[in-house]
Amino acid sequence: MDTLFASGRAADIVLAVLVIEAIVLTVRHARSGAGPPPRVFVPMIGAGVLLVLALRCALTGAPWPWIALLLSGGGAVHAVDLWQRWRR
């Protein structure tokens, strides 16, 4: 279990799940119109992806500027997500 986290593989698994989730939601919406359109969920998933990438960098010992950049990007995308939700 230690190697799973120390190598960053745990974060890779979470990233894979997020990508699969985005694909499933996109395909479902395209085929049936059910569920939210991608413009609604992409910012939410994007913020999560950036946060998990920051976690991966922290777990693998990446330089702190990369972690700070990813966290800042995640915060910015999260702000876009909130702005979109409040506009509705």
Side-chain angles (χ1 to χ4, degrees):
M1 197 60 118
D2 288 342
T3 5
L4 182 67
F5 285 91
S7 67
R9 294 289 179 223
D12 293 341
I13 293 167
V14 174
L15 287 169
V17 169
L18 285 169
V19 168
I20 291 167
E21 178 183 12
I23 291 169
V24 167
L25 288 171
T26 301
V27 169
R28 181 173 184 234
H29 183 74
R31 286 187 179 168
S32 68
R39 69 176 167 72
V40 170
F41 66 80
V42 164
M44 180 176 40
I45 290 178
V49 165
L50 290 170
L51 185 62
V52 174
L53 285 172
L55 170 66
R56 188 182 198 296
C57 285
L59 290 172
T60 58
W64 71 264
W66 283 108
I67 299 168
L69 180 67
L70 289 165
L71 289 174
S72 298
V77 174
H78 178 63
V80 168
D81 180 37
L82 289 176
W83 180 71
Q84 283 183 344
R85 290 171 191 263
W86 285 341
R87 283 187 38 205
R88 284 187 234 150

